[in-house]
Amino acid sequence: MITKKVLEHKALEVHDLNIGYRSKNDRTIIATDLNFQLYQGELAAIVGVNGIGKSTLLRTLGSVQSKLSGSIHIDGKDLKNYTPIDLASTISLVLTEPLASKNLTVLELIALGRQPYTNWIGRLSTTDKNKVQEAIAMVDLEGLKNKKCYELSDGQLQRVMIARALAQDTSIILLDEPTSHLDLHHKVQILKLLKQIAHETHKTILFTSHEIEMAIQLCDKILIMYPESHEFGEPCELIRKQSFERLFPTDAVTFDAKTGSFKIKK
Amino acid sequence: MERTTTYRIPLLLLILVLLLCFILNISLGSVTIPFKATLKAVLGGELANDSWRYIVWNYRIPKAFSAILIGSGLALSGLLMQTLFRNPLAGPFVLGISSGASLGAALLIMGSTLFSSLFSYSLINDISMAVAASIGSFLVLLVVVIVSYRIKDTMALLIIGLMFGSITAALVSVLSYFTDAEKLQQYIYWSFGSVGNLSWPQLLLLLAIILIGVFLSVFSIKSLNALLLGENYAKSLGVNMKRSRYMIIIATGLLAGGITAFAGPIAFIGLAVPHLTRQIFNTTDHKVLVPAVLVYGAILMLVCDTIAQLPTSANVLPINAITSIVGAPVVIWLLVRKKKMIF
């Protein structure tokens, strides 16, 4: 049972966040004045056209790159006050970049998720092994655990990466385009898995995606990024506000609010 | 998960093979000493010929020990580089680290004629050679690291390593043009590579350098494992990338630079041994790989040295030639057989 109290716990708060890239004497602003908050146990998607800054936002939230200005609070504490180890046990990532070594076995890869908790040489304790086993069971990877990563299909590898994030045992999981390169069946499989994880383990899951129709059906919250602004809220609310209509130029596709899907204009 | 335990048996077997290779290595050489007499010389006992004891203790055992140190150290530096650069073809020789050490050594040996006012002859001793070669390898390593930041393409990195080799070769030939024959000969002998020229004090110094390298590597095991995922993932796991990278680079520089200083540029051991080790130990866990490459590297170096000294003949082949003959086919085999190289 999820009590009301648990749901009220703010896991992630973003205030007036500006994101982009900073170089020596120049900064490229990608998106400005972002404001939204996620509660514990929510599944949320970031949608928007290519190059709008979805990944940049996700990478900024995950401390892969630094923000330009504004504030990010995780569990009520400013992101910049987290030590690397604290952060590693609070946020886990699933990125689009390929693994450095595909020679890892599934089990080895998932066990690496326990690094924030292991000793100086990385020896797994009984707790660590149990957490890894739980992650394998939750993502249903028992049959694959001794395979090498180069033997896996894209969909399988994505599930393994999610299991690794689960084994890291963080309150927040950030995923960058977890459904890209997957067929319809596997897209649905991954997104349903994320929903199940969020609702069963009360983890807050935020991911970027181009699967707007699926996100509308499965997510608790959606952040829509436009060139100059953004909208955030529950899918139904966003449909009512006609927020999806503005996403793409209307001469190409239109949004059908009844079915929650996009139609190609002929 | 706790597969470490199942890797203990192959590791013990490997150590046993190492012992056998060690005994084989010291019982063979240009002077034929009966096997029993070799054992007696080592363990102490009456010998028919007293010079045998001298040969075993002052020539063969130091040589076997230096082969072990050199093989282990080079293999470990290869493993570190392959993980750090996410590149299965990385190794001290391929990435130009050995070339850097060569340049350092060349400047010291041959540059002393050029800058005789700055360097005195007495400066060319073991320690200054080690320092010069280490500085050379560190400098190249630093440049390679900086380049690897800007260029993520692994092929480009290897080509840059090869270019460093060419630049070094060019500088060395300029130096050798101006240097005297004696110095040139000294450098050329050094560049053939040799495990047999080390005295006990030199061995101790090499041992100290390698121990520091091994020590740093052992402390980097956790971050090396995280690096298998990629740098951003490693960071997200709480790894202090800056510190870890420095530790790994210093360890690599000490191992590759120190060894090249004492033994000359020895090819392919650093590149081939980690791959050969992965054939036996089917894991990517550095907790297993670090000790395994140390033992495997020692074995391969002892074998190469046994071949190089051409048992019963008075000739000794350059060790570099043997390691290349053994190592290069390994790389070709890996590429052909596995279609791709993975690490």
Side-chain angles (χ1 to χ4, degrees), chain A residues 95 97 101 108 115 118 123, chain B residues 2 222 228 233 283 343:
Chain A
L95 303 167
E97 62 188 44
S101 167
E108 285 174 329
Q115 277 225 346
T118 53
R123 177 171 292 280
Chain B
E2 205 51 17
K222 193 173 169 178
L228 293 171
Y233 279 118
T283 180
F343 71 100

Side-chain angles (χ1 to χ4, degrees), chain B residues 189-203:
Chain B
Y189 272 119
W190 176 84
S191 71
F192 278 158
S194 163
V195 296
N197 297 337
L198 300 188
S199 61
W200 282 106
Q202 284 174 316
L203 255 178

Side-chain angles (χ1 to χ4, degrees), chain B residues 261-273:
Chain B
F262 283 109
I266 290 174
F268 283 106
I269 296 286
L271 170 58
V273 171

Side-chain angles (χ1 to χ4, degrees), chain B residues 99 101-121 123-125 128-129 132 167-191:
Chain B
S99 313
S102 304
L103 186 60
L107 279 172
L108 189 76
I109 297 175
M110 302 193 286
S112 55
T113 23
L114 277 180
F115 314 104
S116 47
S117 54
L118 289 170
F119 295 104
S120 63
Y121 280 82
L123 213 66
I124 309 172
N125 54 32
S128 62
M129 271 291 279
I167 295 170
T168 314
L171 289 175
V172 168
S173 49
V174 170
L175 278 174
S176 47
Y177 184 77
F178 288 107
T179 198
D180 55 54
E182 192 197 332
K183 288 277 161 60
L184 185 60
Q185 199 183 29
Q186 198 185 344
Y187 174 78
I188 285 175
Y189 272 119
W190 176 84
S191 71

